[in-house]
Amino acid sequence: RPACSKACEAGALAIKREMERALPSVALDTFPITGWELTAEPELRVGDTRIETYPAHSGPGTPEAGLRGVVRKAGNFEIVGQPEGRVLARIYPGPFGPAVTTRYRADDGIPLFSVGRQDVPLLERAARENLPVFVKAPVRRIPNCRTSNVAGTLPGVSTDEILYVAHAETVYNGPGASDNTASMIAMLMLAHAISGTRPERTFTFLASTAEEMGSLGAAHYAETRKANGTLSRIKVCVNLDSLTYGPNLHITTTDRELERMILDIHRDLEIRSEPKTFFHD
């Protein structure tokens, strides 16, 4: 369900319906972003062998005709043109057998491709033997495409707010069940668990969009809350992401008390794993 896709918007409507079963106030917030999509099946050939590959989500693609060069090992791998040696593309070997999409984080405009770990020996041989390489993955940008956040609120005795966030969209060809559908389900279960109560503080649940494109949905929500003068009500923000990757929960927080509380709950439930905490001042 990539952001701006029909599947993503259908998912947002399904989440809205589920929130409405548990919470008295639910809103769908649709706004424009610049979308991204593949326009053809990606292709990577090393010599005569075709291997599975996917370009990084939201990153640059190749020309329609593709790119030709040779492999050079430089940290990971690069495809360079001949004879000038200019870097045409980068290759990232993932931790799994299948190629799994990664997110584009560079700012140099050089396409990034993922491959499965089983294809690393072939790339290493290509670098040693100067084998020809061909890569192709045309993409297009979609201006002013529409995507949606969903936010639901359970009023408390106080307007001080605890905000739960889980992103609702996924990357194409990514492990969407873990990143982040399962976390979204956990957040909805929490909303149902407290439904009909009057908590001490207000609870808000945000299903954000376009997280895989740089957290655009969360940023839009923050700007909206800032514009209507309610951003300062949020005292605690709990972001749920990839909870089922496991087995060891990762806790990143700026709040020592919250860290201790989560660890205490983990111990009291006798969960047989070892949580890892990362504290940021």
Side-chain angles (χ1 to χ4, degrees):
R1 301 187 306 278
C4 291
S5 68
K6 291 181 179 179
C8 185
E9 293 310 289
L13 292 175
I15 292 165
K16 179 175 181 287
R17 289 193 296 270
E18 194 63 30
M19 283 191 183
E20 287 171 341
R21 295 179 59 219
L23 305 170
S25 175
V26 180
L28 184 75
D29 182 12
T30 303
F31 59 97
I33 64 171
T34 299
W36 178 98
E37 69 176 11
L38 276 166
T39 60
E41 185 71 19
E43 184 178 352
L44 175 59
R45 293 187 181 274
V46 179
D48 295 328
T49 303
R50 180 168 179 170
I51 62 178
E52 184 184 37
T53 191
Y54 294 96
H57 190 270
S58 300
T62 70
E64 289 287 340
L67 298 167
R68 298 182 186 275
V70 295
V71 174
R72 178 173 69 192
K73 190 166 185 180
N76 287 319
F77 297 93
E78 297 173 339
I79 299 175
V80 298
Q82 289 187 307
E84 74 280 4
R86 180 171 62 90
V87 178
L88 304 177
R90 295 191 174 95
I91 301 175
Y92 164 74
F96 311 108
V100 176
T101 308
T102 187
R103 185 192 301 176
Y104 192 77
R105 292 182 172 87
D107 57 5
D108 54 14
I110 296 174
L112 173 66
F113 290 83
S114 64
V115 297
R117 64 184 179 186
Q118 79 279 357
D119 292 316
V120 169
L122 176 59
L123 292 170
E124 290 176 337
R125 183 166 73 87
R128 291 193 306 269
E129 300 178 10
N130 223 33
L131 298 179
V133 178
F134 171 78
V135 66
K136 177 181 177 181
V139 304
R140 74 181 182 113
R141 305 283 175 176
I142 310 167
N144 296 313
C145 68
R146 312 291 288 181
T147 190
S148 303
N149 288 329
V150 188
T153 299
L154 179 68
V157 176
S158 168
T159 58
D160 287 351
E161 205 168 319
I162 298 173
L163 173 66
Y164 281 86
V165 183
H167 71 88
E169 105 287 9
T170 66
V171 297
Y172 79 99
N173 193 55
S178 289
D179 186 15
N180 191 37
T181 302
S183 303
M184 170 60 57
I185 292 169
M187 187 179 76
L188 291 173
M189 290 173 67
L190 177 59
H192 279 285
I194 64 171
S195 179
T197 68
R198 179 74 165 170
E200 181 180 343
R201 293 177 176 82
T202 295
F203 278 72
T204 297
F205 302 88
L206 173 66
S208 69
T209 186
E211 188 269 352
E212 303 288 1
M213 302 176 72
S215 300
L216 298 181
H220 174 79
Y221 180 78
E223 289 297 324
T224 300
R225 294 291 302 267
K226 183 178 180 181
N228 65 28
T230 62
L231 184 62
S232 62
R233 293 180 183 175
I234 300 172
K235 305 304 180 183
V236 176
C237 179
V238 180
N239 181 48
L240 306 176
D241 202 342
S242 304
L243 292 181
T244 50
Y245 269 129
N248 298 320
L249 182 69
H250 284 202
I251 306 164
T252 302
T253 182
T254 60
D255 189 326
R256 289 289 190 191
E257 184 178 354
L258 180 61
E259 175 193 34
R260 286 193 297 270
M261 181 183 70
I262 294 172
L263 292 175
D264 286 345
I265 293 171
H266 190 277
R267 184 197 63 243
D268 293 345
L269 292 176
E270 298 182 350
I271 298 172
R272 289 185 289 179
S273 64
E274 298 179 6
K276 301 179 181 180
T277 61
F278 305 88
F279 186 78
H280 293 276
D281 292 322

